[in-house]
Amino acid sequence: MRVLVRNAATLYGAHVLGLIVPLLTVPYLARVLRPEGWGMVLFAQSFAAWMTLVLEYGFDLSGTRAVARVRQGPPAVLSEVVAGVQGARLLVLFVTQLVLGVAFLAVPAARPHVALFAWAWAFAVARGLSPVWYFFGQERMRGAAAVDAGAKVLAALGVFVWVRGPEDGWRVLALQALTAAAALLWLTVRMYRSVPLRIPTLRESWATLRDGFGIFLFRSASGLYVNANAFILGLLASPAAVGFFGGAERIIRAAINLFYPLSQTLFPRLSHLTATDPPAAERVLRYGLLVMVGAGTAMGAVAFAAAPFLVRLLLGPGYDAAVPVLRILALLPPVIAVGTIFGIQWALPSGLEKPFIRLVLAAGALNLALAPVVVPLWGAEGMALAVVAAEVFVAGGLLAVFRVRGGRLWPLRVPGVEPQ
């Protein structure tokens, strides 16, 4: 438990630093770029975020889990895992470039902004190929978290120097891409100092892709209602509407992202304990449930009550339409907390990938189906309603699976663990 607390504290320190400093750029960019210009930047960043999910191929979960399971075994086995993941990511990179080239030509809104989307592509590649999963699986998080946070801080500071008007929106993505590339290089060198460099074969790369396909489906589908919302909205509404929605979403996601360090800390530990000490895994899961759901409820209540103040403070004049959007999105923190605990922290370590993935795929389809209906009716607020509906669908479905498997919600009793 001491190691768990230390890792969580390390990740929280780095994450808060990497979150707060870029968040300080939101008031600046919202004012300097104005709703239309900032809406295009958010449109490109949403594209980059979803592309990053594809390039990661879920290895932030499956790669972390694989390393956590073999880290105490022979070095040759660990080297084989790393080679398989690296080779698989290069295959994904090759295939996605062809698909994305066609997609770019098919989206009329992107064509006048070639520089913006070229830098968005570079940023996605640098983030998507990051080997941070290796360090999380080893539970050696300090250095990796510091490098990742440092890259975000440098990019944010550069915004205040080089972004001066609506025509400079591409520089936001350029700064993020260059700093992410530096972090990628640094972490890759550090990884290969601790594990022998081994050239992956096509066979083991393909086998790694096949083994991780389930989690890849989960990550990609979840991106349809987590990361791609501004991109979807940009296809259906004006850049200003994207700015209103994206501004509100940035505010609420800043709160939700505080879950990330705890989730990343819990996952390798639960993956290890589920196989070696189920009662201890249940205790850790109970701790995570109390902390994350309690914090999520508090976050949502504050965001709903303080929405007008937060919009005025962080976005400035001209963004009044973001207030009702933020109030709708304030439902997300407690709902996502439930989904994270019973999905990533319980279903995946317990080997229940299939029902989890089916739920996420259905939620992604639900979000895509609702958007063309609700956006023409209610604009940015409609997009917010579609996102909330998708997250509620996932959380409710996971609770149903937990109960069907014989789990008890309170006091928490995990299926397959004998009462003590």
Side-chain angles (χ1 to χ4, degrees):
M1 184 60 74
R2 183 178 299 175
V3 174
L4 188 68
V5 172
R6 186 185 68 225
N7 286 337
T10 298
L11 281 183
Y12 265 108
H15 189 73
V16 168
L17 180 63
L19 183 67
I20 289 178
V21 175
L23 187 61
L24 294 176
T25 65
V26 170
Y28 180 76
L29 290 175
R31 290 164 171 81
V32 169
L33 300 180
R34 295 193 286 274
E36 292 78 8
W38 198 42
M40 282 307 305
V41 169
L42 293 173
F43 184 53
Q45 286 179 329
S46 182
F47 161 78
W50 193 79
M51 182 179 165
T52 298
L53 283 179
V54 174
L55 292 174
E56 285 179 341
Y57 201 80
F59 288 127
D60 58 324
L61 294 176
S62 59
T64 296
R65 182 175 61 184
V67 171
R69 288 175 174 174
V70 305
R71 66 190 183 198
Q72 295 177 337
V77 176
L78 179 60
S79 178
E80 183 179 346
V81 168
V82 171
V85 172
Q86 294 292 80
R89 296 179 113 178
L90 292 177
L91 288 178
V92 173
L93 177 63
F94 174 75
V95 173
T96 54
Q97 302 322 298
L98 302 177
V99 177
L100 289 170
V102 174
F104 179 79
L105 296 176
V107 178
R111 294 173 198 165
H113 306 278
V114 175
L116 185 66
F117 281 87
W119 282 112
W121 169 84
F123 175 52
V125 170
R127 292 290 295 177
L129 298 182
S130 172
V132 70
W133 52 271
Y134 170 79
F135 298 96
F136 285 172
Q138 291 278 17
E139 295 194 71
R140 290 163 43 196
M141 301 175 180
R142 292 184 180 180
V147 170
D148 190 57
K152 294 176 181 177
V153 169
L154 287 175
L157 294 177
V159 163
F160 295 105
V161 178
W162 285 294
V163 179
R164 297 293 185 181
E167 69 281 358
D168 295 334
W170 66 271
R171 296 184 179 182
V172 179
L173 277 300
L175 288 163
Q176 292 176 332
L178 292 172
T179 53
L184 166 65
L185 179 61
W186 181 273
L187 291 174
T188 301
V189 170
R190 285 196 58 201
M191 179 177 69
Y192 283 119
R193 284 180 177 175
S194 59
V195 63
L197 175 61
R198 183 171 172 274
I199 303 300
T201 65
L202 182 60
R203 176 179 296 180
E204 65 187 5
S205 300
W206 177 253
T208 304
L209 279 179
R210 186 181 62 246
D211 293 342
F213 184 69
I215 292 181
F216 165 68
L217 279 180
F218 151 67
R219 279 300 199 201
S220 298
S222 67
L224 293 176
Y225 60 89
V226 175
N227 299 96
N229 295 310
F231 185 74
I232 295 169
L233 182 60
L235 299 176
L236 301 170
S238 67
V242 178
F244 299 141
F245 173 84
E249 189 182 40
R250 284 296 175 91
I251 295 171
I252 204 66
R253 292 290 177 190
I256 293 170
N257 283 343
L258 293 175
F259 294 150
Y260 180 76
L262 180 58
S263 180
Q264 283 294 102
T265 304
L266 289 175
F267 183 71
R269 177 55 56 91
L270 283 167
S271 296
H272 180 70
L273 292 177
T274 298
T276 60
D277 190 354
E282 183 182 70
R283 290 193 296 272
V284 172
L285 192 69
R286 185 183 300 119
Y287 161 79
L289 177 66
L290 287 171
V291 172
M292 293 185 71
V293 175
T297 302
M299 290 173 188
V302 170
F304 184 89
F309 170 76
L310 291 172
V311 168
R312 284 196 305 271
L313 176 67
L314 297 175
L315 303 182
Y319 287 87
D320 292 342
V323 173
V325 178
L326 179 56
R327 283 185 162 153
I328 295 171
L329 295 178
L331 297 170
L332 288 179
V335 174
I336 289 177
V338 171
T340 299
I341 287 295
F342 289 99
I344 293 175
Q345 308 302 339
W346 172 69
L348 292 185
S350 299
L352 299 174
E353 295 179 6
K354 289 184 178 180
F356 186 25
I357 291 167
R358 283 195 291 266
L359 283 170
V360 173
L361 286 171
L366 176 65
N367 191 48
L368 286 178
L370 286 176
V373 177
V374 296
V375 169
L377 291 174
W378 300 301
E381 294 174 52
M383 193 72 247
L385 288 170
V387 174
V388 171
E391 292 285 5
V392 169
F393 180 86
V394 172
L398 286 168
L399 288 176
V401 171
F402 184 77
R403 293 298 301 275
V404 167
R405 293 279 174 169
R408 189 172 67 190
L409 293 177
W410 195 259
L412 185 69
R413 181 65 60 201
V414 174
V417 179
E418 295 296 327
Q420 296 179 326

